[in-house]
Amino acid sequence: MDYAIQQILNALSFGAEYALIALGLAIVFSIMGLVNFAHGEVIAFGGYSMVIVGTLLTRNPFLLMGAVLLACVLVSVLLERVAFRTVRKADLTTGLLTAFGVSIILQNLFLLLGSPRPIPATQFIFLDRTITLGAVQVSSLQIYETLATAVAIGFLLFFLRRTTLGLAMRAAALDFEMVRLCGLRANRVIATAFAVSGLLAGLACIFIMARRGSVLPHMGFDPVLTAFVACVIGGFGSLPGAVLGGFLLGAVEVAVLVLLPQSYGGLAQAVVFALVALILVWRPDGILSPAREKGDKV
Amino acid sequence: MNPSQRRGLLGSALLSLLILLIVGAYYLWGEAWQARILYATFVNLLVVVGLQVFMGNANLTSFSHAAFMGIAAYAAAICVTPVAMKAISLPDAPWGLNAFALSPWTSALIALGITGFLGLLTGLFIARLTGVGVTIVSIAILVIVHSIFLHRTDIFKGNQALFGIPKVLDLPQITALVILAIFGARWFRESRFGLQLRACADDEIGARAMGVNVYRTRLVAWVLGTMFFAVAGIAYAFFLGTISARPFYFNFVFLTVAMLILGGLRSVSGAVFGTLLISIGLETIRWLETGPEILGIQLPQMLGLSGLMLGVVIVGVMAFLPSGLMGNREIEDIIRPKRQETP
């Protein structure tokens, strides 16, 4: 029983991390149809800015968290301005390849200006303590992570449902031209989407840093690849789909780790990706949306 | 043969001439160490031309080519390596994999067969999907194959090198393969399937209404593409003598995709030009990366510069030249422009 609770908590915290990153991908995709592979490098940028601010300005972890969030938001908005604005009207493949290009550029910039070896940044490690709840031992980080994701989703819901800009963003996901005709600035709506996406990346960055305690140029790539899969499972561009996909993927990953014998641990990622491929063949548009006939009006 | 197929033959012949000129220049003025670079460029060229077959004609982005190349390279390497060598390099391989050795031709055929079968199997899934779906499933294939390479260290040695593969191919043979590949890809582009596939890329519903079997066309292109990757993988293993799992992953994928989109994915000539341009650029940058001395100034060592350039090329081409250098044109369209057809 305790073991089961332990694993469920594991699944929840894995899922929370994927959901956070997947939400960041989905919110951009829903509005401008861009698969933002550079999201992982926004996370890595958060890590590097933490190293810089942490050594130069302040060692106070809470101020540092603010700095990481701010850095991620700024770089995300900057990327939109510099790189993604030019491909806004282009088709999906162009956007995808551009995002890959941006991701490669940033990774190599980190390599060039930083170091190919991990740089330690341990200020957030204090979040990760072992707590004993009854008979179950849990990591405090897992609880924080699950709670923070829940709060972030709550705020996002509030923002999307109760503010004008949020309403504009929901409308933009349906029909961007119409939103512009109603007198809202396209640039502002898209910049907000990237800002929110950057904020979510910053949040994910804090938890990733608390777990790893060091930064690497390509540290964002694998989490984003998995989150990308989460988005796909849930239905690309759908925010509830991203959250559902994230938690589902966390559960699958923990289940694979528990069910497969220890020696097969290296194949966990392979099993997850195989499942995704099968889901896509069954439901090309994700679990939440049934397969459509080509040419149907949406 | 219809006019566009005749033009295709002309175009392939021109591209082959270019390849032969490069090889000739190497034999006349090149130094020995450049043979390796030229060979690597030609392996990349095989991959990029193969990518053009599916990505270019169907206008779908796929990232799994490195996986198929790896499968073929490993299959050929395991078949061809002598038993005495395998006793050292693969001491605990299962199923008697280290107890036999075949001739290079048989090994290559077996590798082609295995890769083709896997290509067909994955193609059955890929051909049903469109848009991002194809990209994601191809990434899934790449990740799955890579995890298996890393996991089964008893067969594939993971990140360590599988060594002792005899050197079977050299520059003349790969030149012949590249020329064959160029003719093959161009023939496919102008064939019935290629035309149908390009029609689907432009308007899938329209093509279907005209009686095109979208599913079958995509499947044919996908499997044909994997055969190109298989040939590239075999050529890679048969020249280098050692292989490991690391080169068959995302970095190589990005490199080849950058080559394809720089030249323009819709034409075979674009694939060839993109590969040659990026290879030349990369060699220059690799030299800069090591921190050489130019005009008496010692430049610092700069790791990551080549990757940076690849990224800049991808973003730059996508932003300013979305259809690449060549766009929809082939080499013969530049030399002898198409006459405007009167309706």
Side-chain angles (χ1 to χ4, degrees):
Chain A
M1 187 61 206
D2 295 345
Y3 184 70
I5 293 176
Q6 181 76 49
Q7 295 303 344
I8 290 172
L9 264 172
N10 272 342
L12 271 180
S13 76
F14 270 38
E17 191 183 309
Y18 294 146
L20 268 185
I21 305 175
L23 265 178
L25 289 176
I27 204 158
V28 167
F29 185 86
S30 68
I31 287 172
M32 62 179 280
L34 173 79
V35 184
N36 186 8
F37 259 104
H39 200 63
E41 280 55 50
V42 174
I43 295 176
F45 182 82
Y48 279 97
S49 63
M50 175 182 158
V51 172
I52 294 169
V53 175
T55 44
L56 293 182
L57 293 176
T58 170
R59 290 194 60 81
N60 181 330
F62 295 100
L63 286 178
L64 213 51
M65 279 180 201
V68 167
L69 290 179
L70 191 67
C72 285
V73 170
L74 287 181
V75 78
S76 183
V77 173
L78 185 76
L79 283 184
E80 190 274 322
R81 184 68 196 83
V82 176
F84 297 130
R85 192 164 285 189
T86 46
V87 294
R88 196 182 283 174
K89 289 205 173 66
D91 62 359
L92 210 79
T93 314
T94 312
L96 183 93
L97 289 172
T98 309
F100 260 118
V102 171
S103 150
I104 301 172
I105 292 179
L106 287 176
Q107 272 187 30
N108 284 289
L109 272 182
F110 297 147
L111 199 68
L112 208 58
L113 306 176
S115 153
R117 275 181 281 280
I119 305 174
T122 51
Q123 286 93 333
F124 297 156
I125 293 276
F126 78 96
L127 291 173
D128 196 0
R129 272 203 215 104
T130 312
I131 313 176
T132 317
L133 285 178
V136 196
Q137 284 207 331
V138 292
S139 146
S140 58
L141 186 64
Q142 293 185 333
I143 298 175
Y144 291 141
E145 209 167 6
T146 315
L147 285 180
T149 306
V151 171
I153 293 172
F155 266 105
L156 198 60
L157 273 181
F158 173 80
F159 170 72
L160 288 176
R161 292 196 183 280
R162 290 277 177 267
T163 63
T164 317
L165 209 50
L167 182 69
M169 286 177 62
R170 281 195 295 146
L174 289 177
D175 188 345
F176 197 77
E177 286 311 309
M178 193 61 207
V179 174
R180 298 184 65 181
L181 286 176
C182 290
L184 277 146
R185 280 196 199 157
N187 285 347
R188 191 191 285 176
V189 176
I190 290 181
T192 316
F194 272 89
V196 172
S197 153
L199 194 68
L200 293 167
L203 213 52
C205 175
I206 291 173
F207 291 116
I208 292 175
M209 289 307 294
R211 197 169 295 139
R212 308 171 44 110
S214 65
V215 286
L216 262 181
H218 55 260
M219 68 182 234
F221 193 77
D222 274 344
V224 166
L225 203 60
T226 322
F228 178 54
V229 168
C231 278
V232 173
I233 298 181
F236 224 103
S238 134
L239 300 188
V243 176
L244 174 79
F247 280 102
L248 205 64
L249 211 61
V252 169
E253 199 164 318
V254 169
V256 168
L257 285 175
V258 170
L259 293 178
L260 279 184
Q262 197 79 45
S263 61
Y264 283 88
L267 287 183
Q269 215 186 3
V271 173
V272 170
F273 273 88
L275 282 176
V276 170
L278 290 180
I279 287 179
L280 261 186
V281 173
W282 166 57
R283 283 273 169 95
D285 298 317
I287 293 181
L288 287 190
S289 45
R292 268 201 315 270
E293 192 66 20
K294 296 251 158 47
D296 280 2
K297 292 278 180 226
V298 186
Chain B
M1 221 190 290
N2 65 30
S4 63
Q5 282 168 339
R6 238 172 290 144
R7 289 184 74 89
L9 273 184
L10 173 67
S12 322
L14 285 171
L15 288 174
S16 311
L17 195 67
L18 179 69
I19 299 292
L20 285 174
L21 279 178
I22 293 171
V23 176
Y26 162 74
Y27 277 116
L28 282 180
W29 302 297
E31 292 172 48
W33 58 273
Q34 285 165 334
R36 214 180 158 85
I37 297 171
L38 200 54
Y39 194 94
T41 307
F42 281 173
V43 170
N44 289 344
L45 193 55
L46 282 176
V47 176
V48 177
V49 168
L51 265 183
Q52 198 276 334
V53 168
F54 182 77
M55 256 176 89
N57 290 321
N59 199 18
L60 296 167
T61 314
S62 139
F63 288 150
S64 55
H65 45 287
F68 290 111
M69 195 181 155
I71 292 169
Y74 272 110
I78 290 172
C79 286
V80 82
T81 309
V83 176
M85 196 49 117
K86 272 197 278 199
I88 310 168
S89 62
L90 292 171
D92 31 45
W95 316 310
L97 279 179
N98 52 5
F100 72 96
L102 300 168
S103 75
W105 273 105
T106 336
S107 314
L109 279 181
I110 290 178
L112 275 176
I114 292 176
T115 318
F117 174 72
L118 288 173
L120 183 67
L121 210 64
T122 48
L124 291 178
F125 292 97
I126 291 271
R128 286 167 50 91
L129 297 166
T130 47
V132 218
V134 174
T135 313
I136 296 155
V137 174
S138 72
I139 289 178
I141 295 170
L142 183 65
V143 171
I144 292 169
V145 171
H146 189 71
S147 326
I148 293 174
F149 283 162
L150 290 189
H151 179 69
R152 291 306 297 254
T153 42
D154 50 345
I155 308 176
F156 304 112
K157 305 280 285 179
N159 267 331
Q160 283 170 300
L162 173 64
F163 52 87
I165 310 162
K167 188 172 164 179
V168 182
L169 298 179
D170 214 333
L171 213 47
Q173 290 92 334
I174 189 112
T175 312
L177 282 176
V178 163
I179 290 176
L180 259 178
I182 290 173
F183 271 96
R186 194 58 208 276
W187 166 80
F188 178 79
R189 185 177 185 262
E190 308 301 345
S191 74
R192 189 162 63 98
F193 284 120
L195 188 62
Q196 288 181 347
L197 198 57
R198 280 182 288 150
C200 302
D202 290 340
D203 184 350
E204 189 179 330
I205 303 158
R208 250 206 244 174
M210 302 298 286
V212 174
N213 186 340
V214 178
Y215 177 75
R216 193 185 60 188
T217 339
R218 279 206 189 120
L219 186 63
V220 168
W222 176 261
V223 176
L224 188 68
T226 55
M227 298 320 287
F228 279 80
F229 309 145
V231 172
I234 296 166
Y236 180 87
F238 279 3
F239 178 76
L240 276 186
T242 76
I243 51 175
S244 76
R246 201 187 296 265
F248 304 118
Y249 208 41
F250 274 107
N251 281 341
F252 180 75
V253 169
F254 290 143
L255 174 71
T256 42
V257 168
M259 288 171 169
L260 183 62
I261 62 178
L262 172 66
L265 32 99
R266 293 189 67 107
S267 81
V268 179
S269 316
V272 175
F273 292 151
T275 312
L276 294 179
L277 281 177
I278 290 208
S279 301
I280 294 168
L282 221 58
E283 278 314 311
T284 323
I285 287 201
R286 288 230 176 88
W287 171 70
L288 278 177
E289 242 177 1
T290 53
E293 217 179 83
I294 303 177
L295 302 173
I297 305 162
Q298 175 68 43
L299 293 176
Q301 200 181 351
M302 292 175 282
L303 280 177
L305 205 60
S306 51
L308 194 66
M309 186 204 79
L310 273 191
V312 170
V313 166
I314 296 182
V315 174
V317 170
M318 282 295 139
F320 303 113
L321 210 73
S323 49
L325 290 175
M326 297 296 286
N328 219 352
R329 287 170 304 170
E330 290 282 359
I331 185 167
E332 75 275 4
D333 297 333
I334 297 176
I335 293 165
R336 201 202 288 174
K338 244 179 238 165
R339 257 172 294 136
Q340 213 66 41
E341 277 155 36
T342 40

